[in-house]
């Protein structure tokens, strides 16, 4: 089906099984915690060779020679693969075609240039360190690494009215410059692949988020047809955007397997994952807010500078939610991209909002102080009726409800916001809040649902589950529609032998492929209704039987019944603005002497359409809030100023939050139905938790100790430097 | 990882013989060495596994102190009853380091010998005088966030990354070292690590064929013991600055002030002048400032780590305030 109209009456609310939305634990959870769920590199494949990528220790230039013969002399080495089909960068999310190839042209420090294949992993790794390679390296003086060093390109620009005049005329205005550092996805499972070639068919176990696009990217890279490739990705140990597109190890393993006629496994080292997989761009942002006496916005400006390699179309979409979150008739939104030679910038958890929203929310906090309006009230007053420029209505909008419910549960008192109000020993204690917003993405998706003659059902799609709960929620949708308990529905994912799903990314998996399963189930219900001789809307299915007591097994008379559901977004997004919203409230303590900040408690209230599973949705919110703590306080990529290489390329030095940094996070799910978002009335939730939370923490730091830090992450040195003297 | 030989010595004397040749290294917990071998930062031809030597005991000494065997794990040391009661600064320092899993494997001797976390040291495609003498220092003009502000040289600005040894320096512990033929020596922890000078490849005074057998703590002393570690996240991060303090008061005046610092130098930093300045004085903000002036007299930042100078000052003041009961 194509969705052109809101789906106002959703069958999921009329069914009898009663499992949709329920807090059901992830069906694969037991296998994962007991170590029996195989990840990509763990499939036991006989006769498998081990490949290790060779990377370039130069920022830009050409590989002039690789001494393959000497390489082959090394212990255990079977091959040194250099091939111009190898990819030099990972594919961007949803690219569906090969990224930049020809790895001999080096564009960033750490770029893969060849693959050493040996009998053992240790032999291959050792050989990569001793392979004689010559380079024609460009003079570092001519290679820009700093986005402020180059003249940027304009990426987007829109304006309405006269922002400068509005700023000038307004009784209250804020002009804030805020920076964020680059981020790494930092997924636990490194990028890895095992490729096998039987002369006709290439089978690759790989750790990927979007097989439906990845198969096209791999086929294009290798010059194969899609039907000559099978990709398998049943379990993914975290993606966070870094596995949206096919990456270097998968293509290299495939080429080696085809050349050597033996299976080849390639697993990136942790350092390689950091150095040649996507980074989130650093950003420099300017926020201008003009407001009337009551805090009502009259002007709204958000400008950003981001970076990427030459030739990349992706630019961190910093302004994405700024277009519609708050009103203000005079608007200016501009984004530039600087071409520099750090590794590829691409999607890293909630591209855009994860860094744009915290900056905006810091500026809003400054405006609240400047105008004397409580921060919650300020946001409530500035929620627009419709899209501030296009005028289109919102498909659903729960920001106000999230702000109110969150404030109530947190105990936000709306009282004085004077900083430095509470000190316990060395620690200042303060509170802060922020809004959350994330655009709603949705994609075409297919899924096949089969009711077997034995009365069980099978859902099949090449959709992935990257730890988010896809296996579980698809089983709940099918079970609800077909009247089956969750354990009577087998969900098979992550294999391109199945119909093309949507892939996991942009928080779109649940609504996209969930809708495809829903559509398939609607068709199955029609067939069942015909067999039972009742109208479809009168067909009541529960626990494997219809209302008159006849079981599905009897109804099917030994046959399987199968339907493929095909969902397409249609043109409904012309008529509505669809987004998820929320609010964060947090209390932090900041050490007066050292600037160390610890989050004491945090409440998030989120509205994201239908909740398909209370447990997995809550987990997504908690995960996002945890990443908010990282973005606020610790996560930063550090690049060497001389040759642009990433210096902190492991999990000891790239600081994601540890357990002790994360307090008990309170999540409120403000449930709603969004008929225009998807046929199942669900929106995305995966990324929403990280879309502004760092701003709440920054605002709490200011409220605690009076340090208004304008640089994320707010590490002790930065907080200390802004700490007011007594 | 380069292929290497592996040997297990019959006894301590055998171990000293086996570790005498160049390109051999002793391995205990391996929590640092194995990582560095994977990166080929360390490339020993032969590993001497000393784990089966009996050096894990923690025992009282005749003069009322405590001897911690070289193979006692960090977990065992931090959990030891006397360490917790009489040397709490040591227990706290150990527990501030690494993670539980790492502390279960890490040993006393190995921890003393752990190598710097300088980003340029661990990346073999970058210059580093410590790893590859004469190749230059990438950190001085690069990202020096983790790096030293005291006792640096034009060759090297790396820090010693550990916590345990900082507490041991404050406690004035002694390192027991043995060599072939039972030639033993004892080196104060305060002198065990070196400054980089023009030999940054040498972290400490241990010579080839020498093996640490234990660390001896002197008898417990009066006073308050504090280990304060400043870092971005609350676990599994190396110190930006740390202070180990043993401070006693008598009649309103400071009677003992043994202070050592981590994260700011190539070794646990101990400056005897601080004790001389502080002892006999009544604690005050002005006195703490004077102490910081003295400590940081020769401090030099390298851009990214400039913040460590004010951070060390403020951390010292906060620690002394806490130890002496002064409100700042």
């Amino acid at each position: 089906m194509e969705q052109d109209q809101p789906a106002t009456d959703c069958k999921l609310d009329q069914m009898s099984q009663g499992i949709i939305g329920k807090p059901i634990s992830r069906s694969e959870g037991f296998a994962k915690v007991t170590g029996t769920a195989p990840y990509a590199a763990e499939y036991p494949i006989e006769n498998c060779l081990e490949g290790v990528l060779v990377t370039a220790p130069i920022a830009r230039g050409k590989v002039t020679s690789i001494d393959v013969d000497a390489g082959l002399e090394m212990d255990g080495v079977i091959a040194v693969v250099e091939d111009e089909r190898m990819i030099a960068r990972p594919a961007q999310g949803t690219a569906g075609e090969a990224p930049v190839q020809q790895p001999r042209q080096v564009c960033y420090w750490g770029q893969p240039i060849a693959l050493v294949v040996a009998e053992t992993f240790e032999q291959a790794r050792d050989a990569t360190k001793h392979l004689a390679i010559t380079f024609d390296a460009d003079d570092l003086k001519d290679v820009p690494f700093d986005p402020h060093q180059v003249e940027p390109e304009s990426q987007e620009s829109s304006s309405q009215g006269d922002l400068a005049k509005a700023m000038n005329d307004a009784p209250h205005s804020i002009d804030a410059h805020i920076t964020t550092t680059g981020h790494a996805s930092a997924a636990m499972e490194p990028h890895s692949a095992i490729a096998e070639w039987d002369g006709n068919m290439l089978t690759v176990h790989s750790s990927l988020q979007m097989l439906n696009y990845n198969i096209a990217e791999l086929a294009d890279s290798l010059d194969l047809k899609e039907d000559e490739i099978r990709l398998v990705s049943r379990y993914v140990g975290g993606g966070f955007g870094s596995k949206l597109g096919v990456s270097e190890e998968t293509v290299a393993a495939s080429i080696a397997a085809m050349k050597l006629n033996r299976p080849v496994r390639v697993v990136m080292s942790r350092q390689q994952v950091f150095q040649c997989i996507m980074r989130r761009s650093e950003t420099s942002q300017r926020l201008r807010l003009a407001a009337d006496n009551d805090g009502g916005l009259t002007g709204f400006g958000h400008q950003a500078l981001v970076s990427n390699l030459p030739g990349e179309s992706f630019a961190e979409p910093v302004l994405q939610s700024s277009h519609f979150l708050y009103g203000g008739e005079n608007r200016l939104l501009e984004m530039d991209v600087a071409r520099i030679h750090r590794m590829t910038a691409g999607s890293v958890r909630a591209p855009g909002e994860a860094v744009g929203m915290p900056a905006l929310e810091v500026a809003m906090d400054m405006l609240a102080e400047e105008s004397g309006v409580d921060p919650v009230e300020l946001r409530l007053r500035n929620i627009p009726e419709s899209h501030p420029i296009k005028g289109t209505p919102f498909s659903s909008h729960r920001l106000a409800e999230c702000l109110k419910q969150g404030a109530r549960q947190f105990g936000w008192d709306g009282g004085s916001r004077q900083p430095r109000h509470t000190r316990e020993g060395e620690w200042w204690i303060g509170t802060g809040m922020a809004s959350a917003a994330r655009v709603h993405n949705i994609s075409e998706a297919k899924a096949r649902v089969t009711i077997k003659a034995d009365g069980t059902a099978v859902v099949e799609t090449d959709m992935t589950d990257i730890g988010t709960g896809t296996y579980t929620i698809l089983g709940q949708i099918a079970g609800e529609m077909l009247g089956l308990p969750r354990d009577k529905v087998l969900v098979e994912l992550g294999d391109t032998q199945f119909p093309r799903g949507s892939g996991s990314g942009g928080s779109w998996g649940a609504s996209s492929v969930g809708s495809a399963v829903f559509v398939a189930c609607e068709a199955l219900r029609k067939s069942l209704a015909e067999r039972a001789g009742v109208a479809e809307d009168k067909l009541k299915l529960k626990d494997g039987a219809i209302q008159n007591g006849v079981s599905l097994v009897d109804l099917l008379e030994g046959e399987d019944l199968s339907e493929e559901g095909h969902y397409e977004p249609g043109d409904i997004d012309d008529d509505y603005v669809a987004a998820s919203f929320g609010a964060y409230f947090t209390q932090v303590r900041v050490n007066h002497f050292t600037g160390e900040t610890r989050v004491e408690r945090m409440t998030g209230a989120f509205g994201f359409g239908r909740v398909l599973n209370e447990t997995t949705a809550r987990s997504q919110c908690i995960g996002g809030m945890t990443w908010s703590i990282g973005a606020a306080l610790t996560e930063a990529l550090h690049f060497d100023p001389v040759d642009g290489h990433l210096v902190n390329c492991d999990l000891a030095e790239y600081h994601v939050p540890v357990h002790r940094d994360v307090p008990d996070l309170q999540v409120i799910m403000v449930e709603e139905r969004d008929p225009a978002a998807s046929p199942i009335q669900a929106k995305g939730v995966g990324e929403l938790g990280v879309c502004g939370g760092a701003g709440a923490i920054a605002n709490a730091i200011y409220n605690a100790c009076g340090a208004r830090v304008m640089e994320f992450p707010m590490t002790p040195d930065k907080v200390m430097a802004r700490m007011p003297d007594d | 990882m380069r292929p290497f030989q592996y040997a297990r010595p019959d006894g301590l004397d055998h171990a000293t013989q086996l570790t005498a040749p160049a390109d051999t290294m002793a391995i205990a917990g391996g929590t640092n060495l194995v990582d560095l071998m994977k990166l080929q930062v360390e490339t020993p031809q032969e590993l001497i596994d000393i784990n089966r030597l009996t050096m894990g005991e923690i025992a009282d000494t005749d003069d009322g102190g405590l001897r911690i065997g070289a193979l006692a794990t960090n977990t065992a040391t931090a959990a030891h009853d006397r360490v917790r009661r009489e040397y709490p600064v040591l227990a706290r320092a150990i527990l501030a380091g690494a993670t539980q899993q790492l502390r279960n494997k890490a040993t006393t001797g190995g921890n003393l010998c752990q190598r710097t976390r300088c980003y340029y040291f661990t990346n073999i495609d970058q210059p580093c005088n410590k790893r590859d003498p004469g190749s230059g220092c990438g950190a001085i003009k690069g990202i020096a966030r983790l790096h030293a502000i005291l006792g640096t040289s034009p060759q090297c600005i790396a820090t010693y990354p550990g916590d345990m040894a900082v507490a041991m320096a404050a406690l004035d512990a002694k390192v027991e070292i043995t060599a072939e033929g039972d030639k033993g020596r004892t080196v104060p922890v305060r002198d065990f690590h070196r400054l980089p000078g023009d030999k940054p490849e040498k972290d400490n005074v241990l010579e080839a064929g020498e093996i640490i057998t234990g660390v001896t703590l002197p008898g417990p002393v009066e006073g308050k013991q504090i280990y304060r570690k400043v870092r971005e996240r609350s676990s599994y991060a190396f110190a930006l600055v740390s202070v180990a303090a043993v401070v006693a008061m008598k009649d309103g005046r400071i009677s003992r002030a043994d202070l050592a610092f981590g994260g700011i130098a190539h070794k646990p930093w101990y400056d005897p002048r601080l004790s001389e300045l502080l002892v006999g004085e009544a604690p005050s903000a002005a006195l703490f400032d004077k102490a910081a002036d003295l400590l940081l007299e020769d401090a030099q930042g390298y851009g990214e780590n400039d913040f460590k100078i004010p951070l060390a000052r403020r951390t010292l003041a906060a620690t002394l305030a806490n130890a002496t009961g002064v409100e700042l």
Side-chain angles (χ1 to χ4, degrees):
Chain A
M1 71 162 287
E2 231 175 279
Q3 191 177 9
D4 298 321
Q5 296 296 323
T8 40
D9 283 325
C10 180
K11 283 213 174 69
L12 280 173
D13 290 315
Q14 298 149 17
M15 297 292 110
S16 310
Q17 190 62 33
I19 57 172
I20 197 71
K22 291 290 182 294
I24 299 174
S25 293
R26 286 190 290 165
S27 50
E28 82 289 10
F30 185 80
K32 282 183 172 171
V33 298
T34 52
T36 50
Y39 289 87
E42 296 177 330
Y43 284 84
I45 287 168
E46 274 180 32
N47 207 22
C48 190
L49 294 168
E50 305 290 340
V52 173
L53 290 164
V54 184
T55 60
I58 63 166
R60 197 177 73 185
K62 286 189 189 71
V63 177
T64 47
S65 72
I66 299 177
D67 193 343
V68 173
D69 293 342
L72 291 171
E73 295 292 306
M74 293 184 213
D75 267 357
V77 173
I78 305 284
V80 177
V81 179
E82 35 159 3
D83 190 300
E84 57 182 32
R85 294 172 300 168
M86 282 174 66
I87 59 177
R89 307 171 185 183
Q92 295 286 355
T94 73
E97 61 183 18
V100 170
Q101 294 173 284
Q102 300 189 334
R104 278 185 166 236
Q105 295 285 339
V106 178
C107 276
Y108 61 95
W109 202 102
Q111 178 188 305
I113 50 179
L115 182 78
V116 172
V117 182
E119 292 288 351
T120 72
F121 170 69
E122 286 77 10
Q123 289 166 334
R125 184 170 58 181
D126 184 48
T128 63
K129 310 274 184 195
H130 299 103
L131 200 58
I133 306 169
T134 58
F135 297 93
D136 181 4
D138 292 356
D139 192 332
L140 288 174
K141 286 198 295 294
D142 303 329
V143 187
F145 304 115
D146 177 351
H148 297 282
Q149 269 175 354
V150 296
E151 189 63 35
E153 299 165 8
S154 173
Q155 177 75 19
E156 67 163 290
S157 175
S158 66
S159 74
Q160 176 178 284
D162 187 343
L163 177 64
K165 184 167 183 304
M167 289 289 287
N168 211 33
D169 295 348
H172 304 297
S173 63
I174 294 296
D175 188 348
H177 294 258
I178 295 169
T179 61
T180 67
T181 53
H183 294 155
S185 299
M188 285 278 278
E189 183 200 15
H191 295 61
S192 44
I194 305 174
E196 299 167 89
W197 171 248
D198 69 3
N200 298 304
M201 187 75 185
L202 178 72
T203 303
V204 187
H205 288 83
S206 180
S207 185
L208 294 162
Q209 291 178 234
M210 295 190 151
L211 301 187
N212 47 318
Y213 290 101
N214 304 137
I215 193 168
E217 289 149 9
L218 186 59
D220 190 26
S221 302
L222 301 173
D223 210 11
L224 289 178
K225 297 191 190 74
E226 285 185 33
D227 60 12
E228 294 172 301
I229 297 175
R230 178 182 172 199
L231 275 178
V232 182
S233 209
R234 291 214 172 88
Y235 301 108
V236 180
F240 307 112
S242 72
K243 296 166 183 171
L244 290 180
V246 80
S247 48
E248 295 93 334
E249 82 297 332
T250 295
V251 177
S254 301
I255 291 170
M258 292 170 78
K259 284 192 173 186
L260 301 171
N261 275 308
R262 275 181 72 177
V264 176
R265 168 175 23 227
V266 181
V267 180
M268 283 197 185
S269 68
R270 183 64 67 190
Q271 288 76 14
Q272 288 176 336
V273 172
F274 271 87
Q275 286 166 345
C276 54
I277 295 298
M278 302 287 182
R279 66 183 167 99
R280 184 205 301 286
S281 171
E282 67 298 310
T283 73
S284 301
Q285 303 179 49
R286 182 182 187 192
L287 278 302
R288 277 181 288 176
L289 302 174
D292 61 24
N293 282 319
D294 301 324
L297 286 167
T298 54
F300 184 100
H302 195 169
Q303 291 156 288
L305 173 68
V306 302
S307 71
N308 208 340
L309 278 168
E312 292 297 320
S313 57
F314 179 90
E316 181 76 19
V318 177
L319 313 179
Q320 210 154 240
S321 282
S322 293
H323 286 283
F324 58 80
L325 181 59
Y326 300 125
E329 59 273 25
N330 299 289
R331 302 181 82 82
L332 177 69
L333 290 107
E334 284 182 342
M335 196 170 78
D336 293 344
V337 56
R339 297 295 168 193
I340 59 168
H341 292 267
R342 293 175 177 176
M343 83 288 268
T344 321
S347 295
V348 173
R349 45 192 131 86
E353 284 92 333
V355 284
M357 282 294 300
L360 170 57
E361 292 301 292
V362 166
M364 285 294 280
D365 197 61
M366 295 167 76
L367 180 63
E369 184 181 40
E370 158 71 23
S371 62
V373 178
D374 179 77
V376 176
E377 181 58 30
L378 180 72
R379 285 157 175 92
L380 287 170
R381 283 181 195 174
N382 284 294
I383 298 172
E385 288 291 307
S386 58
H387 191 287
I389 294 179
K390 293 184 204 158
T392 37
F394 291 99
S395 59
S396 72
H397 200 302
R398 284 291 181 276
L399 176 54
E401 200 52 36
C402 291
L403 286 163
K404 288 175 192 165
Q405 285 195 28
R408 202 176 312 131
Q409 169 146 343
F410 180 81
W412 186 268
D413 61 5
S416 162
R417 297 292 299 155
Q418 183 68 32
R420 294 162 79 87
H421 49 78
T422 306
R423 185 167 165 176
E424 284 178 10
E426 297 178 9
W427 297 87
W428 294 106
I429 296 168
T431 57
M433 58 78 54
S435 299
R438 174 71 176 159
V439 294
H440 169 61
N441 297 304
I442 192 157
S443 146
E444 179 181 4
K446 291 178 189 164
R448 182 167 53 236
V449 182
T450 305
I451 310 176
K452 312 280 271 188
D454 66 1
T456 64
V458 182
V459 175
E460 295 164 310
T461 162
D462 76 357
M463 176 64 183
T464 53
D465 185 329
I466 59 173
T468 48
T470 314
Y471 280 107
T472 312
I473 58 155
L474 295 186
Q476 283 174 275
I477 293 169
E480 188 67 46
M481 290 293 286
L482 302 177
L484 292 170
R486 173 66 191 87
D487 62 3
K488 296 284 184 206
V489 184
L490 176 69
V491 181
E492 296 264 38
L493 302 179
D495 189 328
T496 54
Q497 289 189 332
F498 302 138
R500 297 279 181 270
S502 59
S504 300
S507 303
W508 76 14
S511 53
S512 304
V513 82
S515 292
V517 170
F518 175 80
V519 169
C521 290
E522 281 189 309
L524 285 169
R525 284 180 54 85
K526 266 192 198 129
S527 304
L528 290 172
E530 271 172 34
R531 285 177 181 244
V534 297
E536 193 274 333
D537 59 358
K538 296 279 186 295
L539 180 69
K540 199 172 160 197
L541 292 165
K542 188 162 194 287
D543 293 330
I546 59 176
Q547 58 261 48
N548 59 9
V550 176
S551 71
L552 283 179
V553 176
D554 292 340
L555 202 61
L556 291 172
E557 295 174 323
E559 284 176 41
D560 290 354
L561 208 55
S562 190
E563 290 285 351
E564 186 172 288
H566 184 188
Y567 167 73
E568 289 175 276
D571 59 12
I572 195 161
D573 61 346
D574 295 344
D575 304 331
Y576 296 94
V577 190
S580 302
F581 297 95
Y584 311 87
F585 296 83
T586 186
Q587 178 172 309
V588 305
R589 52 175 57 214
V590 183
N591 190 280
H592 173 75
F593 296 100
T594 62
E596 290 163 288
T597 302
R598 305 288 181 248
V599 177
E600 286 198 312
R601 61 195 186 100
M602 194 168 185
T603 300
F606 304 106
F608 46 91
R610 179 193 298 277
V611 175
L612 295 164
N613 177 324
E614 249 179 62
T615 299
T616 57
R618 181 178 301 274
S619 294
Q620 292 288 285
C621 296
I622 288 172
M625 289 162 75
T626 302
W627 286 122
S628 290
I629 297 172
L633 300 178
T634 55
E635 285 183 66
L637 294 176
H638 295 294
F639 293 91
D640 182 80
V642 177
D643 66 10
H645 82 276
L646 176 65
V647 298
N648 55 333
C649 46
D650 59 39
L651 292 170
E653 296 302 338
Y654 181 80
H655 290 165
V656 301
V658 296
H659 276 284
R660 272 176 70 179
D661 296 319
V662 185
D664 185 18
L665 302 171
Q666 302 296 318
V667 174
I668 304 167
M669 290 182 276
V670 181
E671 192 159 4
E672 56 173 334
R673 299 281 184 264
D674 190 334
S678 61
I680 55 174
Q681 302 174 329
K683 293 189 278 202
V685 64
E687 297 163 308
L688 184 58
V690 70
C691 296
I697 295 168
N699 297 337
I701 290 173
Y702 175 71
N703 182 251
C705 71
R708 182 64 87 183
V709 186
M710 306 301 262
E711 301 147 290
F712 288 96
M714 300 185 177
T715 45
D717 50 314
K718 299 202 190 97
V719 177
M720 181 186 71
R722 301 246 181 187
M723 187 78 70
D725 293 328
D726 287 316
Chain B
M1 190 177 284
R2 261 195 357 207
F4 59 88
Q5 302 294 314
Y6 171 89
R8 201 182 285 153
D10 299 330
L12 191 54
D13 207 46
H14 189 207
T16 59
Q17 290 164 26
L18 291 176
T19 53
D23 294 332
T24 63
M25 291 183 82
I27 183 165
T31 57
N32 187 207
L33 178 57
V34 173
D35 281 351
L36 294 175
M37 287 174 68
K38 290 179 188 169
L39 296 167
Q40 299 210 354
V41 172
E42 298 279 21
T43 51
Q45 298 291 325
E46 183 160 15
L47 274 190
I48 313 303
D49 180 353
I50 60 171
N51 279 298
R52 300 207 180 182
L53 302 182
T54 45
M55 299 197 294
E57 204 186 12
I58 303 177
D60 299 347
T61 61
D62 293 342
D63 61 356
L66 191 67
R67 184 182 179 283
I68 302 166
L71 289 175
T73 65
N74 279 179
T75 297
T77 305
H80 188 270
D81 186 49
R82 279 196 68 199
V83 174
R84 289 171 58 183
R85 274 189 293 115
E86 298 170 13
Y87 307 97
V89 66
L90 179 59
R92 286 178 195 141
I94 290 171
L95 295 176
T99 62
Q100 184 66 60
Q101 293 90 332
L102 287 166
R103 292 192 297 268
N104 289 345
K105 288 300 291 177
T107 63
T108 311
N111 195 301
L112 284 170
C113 294
Q114 74 172 309
R115 309 216 64 189
T116 185
R117 299 287 161 160
C118 174
Y119 317 115
Y120 299 83
F121 174 71
T122 53
N123 184 336
I124 63 167
D125 291 317
Q126 289 291 321
C128 173
N129 289 322
K130 182 181 280 296
R131 188 190 64 244
D132 182 11
S135 62
C137 173
I140 285 180
K141 285 184 178 163
I143 301 293
R145 185 169 171 79
L146 297 175
H147 293 73
I149 52 171
L150 287 168
T152 57
S153 79
Q155 318 282 308
C156 182
I157 60 171
T159 50
Y160 171 74
D163 296 295
M164 180 195 81
V166 180
M168 286 177 170
L171 292 167
D172 198 16
K174 307 283 190 286
V175 185
E176 286 177 12
I177 297 168
T178 192
E180 197 183 345
D182 217 12
K183 282 180 288 190
R185 59 176 177 141
T186 300
V187 178
V189 168
R190 292 169 185 175
D191 300 330
F192 178 75
H193 297 93
R194 303 176 60 256
L195 289 180
D198 56 7
K199 260 187 178 282
E201 69 274 20
K202 216 165 152 34
D203 292 349
N204 55 52
V205 300
L206 210 59
E207 299 293 342
E210 285 190 321
I211 288 178
I212 298 171
T213 53
V215 172
T216 309
L217 304 175
V221 295
E222 290 289 301
K224 200 160 176 178
Q225 299 190 13
I226 296 172
Y227 188 73
R228 187 179 180 119
K229 181 176 183 181
V230 182
R231 47 183 161 171
E232 291 169 11
R233 62 181 177 188
S234 47
S235 177
Y236 196 45
F238 294 95
L240 297 171
V241 169
S242 70
V243 185
V246 181
V247 177
M249 298 282 290
K250 200 173 176 190
D251 303 329
R253 290 177 182 275
I254 297 170
S255 58
R256 174 183 289 275
D258 297 331
L259 300 162
F261 300 83
I264 59 173
H266 197 259
K267 56 184 291 188
W269 190 259
Y270 175 80
D271 184 339
R273 298 176 305 164
L274 291 185
S275 177
E276 286 162 26
L277 173 85
L278 292 164
V279 170
E281 300 292 325
S284 68
L287 180 68
F288 303 159
D289 245 359
K290 256 197 234 173
D293 288 343
L294 195 60
L295 170 72
L296 298 163
E297 197 173 47
D298 298 319
Q300 187 193 346
Y302 293 86
E304 289 274 333
N305 70 345
D306 289 351
F307 72 88
K308 284 191 177 181
I309 298 174
L311 184 60
R313 169 178 293 277
R314 296 172 73 108
T315 309
L316 172 60
T319 306
L320 287 173
N322 186 341
T324 59
V326 169
E327 290 241 351
L328 289 184

